[in-house]
Amino acid sequence: MAQRWPEVLSLLAGAAGRAGGPARIVVDGPDPSVVAETTARLASALRTRPSAPDTITIDGSGTPVELTIWLRTSRTSPTADSADIVVDVHDRDWPVVRHVNPALLDHASWYLRESRAFFGIRAATWDAKFGDDAPAYAAAVRRAAIPPGSTVLDVGCGTGRALLPLREAVGPTGRVLGLDHTPQMLEVARKHGEPLLMADARRLPFAASTLDAVFAAGLIMHLPSAADGLRELARATAEAGRLILFHPTGRAALAARHGRTLHPDDPLSRHRLEALCAATGWALTDYDDGGAVFFALARRTG
């Protein structure tokens, strides 16, 4: 699995080259040994670049820094919200870039590849780890009250935990489709027997107004731009169609699991989501972030 390091180091070195001028780089994180390993690897990679920054430091306390790389090594470690780049190194042999400041690299150059790397390696064990979420998925689909006969898309379907309750909701005359960008996830989802598509949620392979409902579990926070994602979902959804945003854990509990605290301007906070929906062709009609789950329902406006 160590073949991931050359890809990630190439991305980091490219971003460093965009920092401008003689840049200082801080590599930081809660595990000093991972920091040291990554710093040495990055230094070696940068030496081969003609536009390499002058220095690489591990501890930049009190020093003006042009570029900060944060290494996320555990579910409970705090996240450096101000970091320019965040690299997931839960598995030292399988690093995955999870965030890059758009001023350094356009998302189009890295997002899809790194997201597939993140989810692909987890697909085989995903249901074993999260299988007890199935009742919450079923309850969310019932709450959405999707009319029988609807054409519904589970976008970012993963292993397909929503496909069965969606089929039950639309009945024999309805149509259920699953879409995900990770082939390993779709391979697991095939057991549910519904048609599956491998595509990017930001570029849906549907004509305008094709869908009656879109179910999106945990999708929005993984997209580089929540507004762009919601706008694309609106394009493919018919007028008065439904958008169901769901997560089997409430926002506060999910943030705590990842060592974060909630921000007022989080895209899924009520006031931000209302504004985002209004700006992208949706009207928020139901919102529940009471703790056990996250659920939001929106209607497609004209």
Side-chain angles (χ1 to χ4, degrees):
M1 292 195 300
Q3 70 269 20
R4 277 255 78 215
W5 271 110
E7 289 182 316
V8 170
L9 289 171
S10 177
L11 190 154
L12 297 181
R18 297 283 297 276
R24 288 179 60 84
I25 298 176
V26 168
V27 180
D28 201 4
D31 188 328
S33 64
V34 176
V35 169
E37 287 176 17
T38 306
T39 301
R41 284 171 161 151
L42 182 56
S44 177
L46 284 169
R47 278 195 289 270
T48 68
R49 299 236 166 186
S51 59
D54 285 352
T55 59
I56 301 173
T57 64
I58 294 176
D59 182 4
S61 301
T63 304
V65 173
E66 304 296 334
L67 178 67
T68 304
I69 299 171
W70 179 262
L71 306 178
R72 194 177 77 186
T73 56
S74 73
R75 291 293 179 194
T76 57
S77 64
T79 302
D81 293 330
S82 61
D84 298 294
I85 301 173
V86 176
V87 184
D88 185 308
V89 282
H90 289 80
D91 184 334
R92 291 192 184 194
D93 292 327
W94 196 257
V96 179
V97 175
R98 298 298 287 152
H99 167 76
V100 178
N101 186 325
L104 298 173
L105 285 178
D106 186 270
H107 285 114
S109 66
W110 66 272
Y111 165 75
L112 193 59
R113 183 192 69 207
E114 294 300 307
S115 189
R116 282 173 170 162
F118 181 83
F119 287 105
I121 200 171
R122 292 163 169 79
T125 58
W126 195 267
D127 284 346
K129 188 172 183 179
F130 299 111
D132 57 356
D133 292 337
Y137 275 76
V141 172
R142 289 193 298 271
R143 182 169 178 175
I146 302 169
S150 295
T151 296
V152 59
L153 174 70
D154 181 2
V155 60
C157 67
T159 59
R161 286 177 291 171
L163 294 176
L164 177 59
L166 288 172
R167 166 53 60 195
E168 293 172 348
V170 303
T173 62
R175 188 181 185 203
V176 176
L177 302 166
L179 182 147
D180 202 277
H181 64 28
T182 305
Q184 295 93 329
M185 286 287 188
L186 291 174
E187 188 60 35
V188 178
R190 293 188 193 285
K191 63 188 177 186
H192 298 288
E194 302 293 348
L196 301 174
L197 302 167
M198 187 170 73
D200 188 343
R202 302 170 299 167
R203 299 175 183 84
L204 297 177
F206 302 107
S209 303
T210 299
L211 307 168
D212 299 306
V214 176
F215 185 89
L219 172 74
I220 297 301
M221 294 304 293
H222 285 289
L223 297 178
S225 168
D228 289 347
L230 290 171
R231 192 172 291 110
E232 174 64 359
L233 297 181
R235 180 197 64 78
T237 304
E239 185 174 353
R242 289 166 167 80
L243 170 65
I244 305 102
L245 302 179
F246 168 73
H247 197 280
T249 307
R251 290 170 55 245
L254 183 64
R257 181 192 302 172
H258 290 276
R260 297 186 289 107
T261 56
L262 288 179
H263 288 257
D265 286 336
D266 181 290
L268 293 181
S269 65
R270 182 163 195 148
H271 78 282
R272 284 284 289 130
L273 186 57
E274 284 179 333
L276 281 168
C277 284
T280 57
W282 301 98
L284 189 65
T285 60
D286 191 5
Y287 184 92
D288 182 3
D289 188 28
V293 299
F294 175 85
F295 177 91
L297 181 66
R299 292 294 183 99
R300 179 71 169 93
T301 55

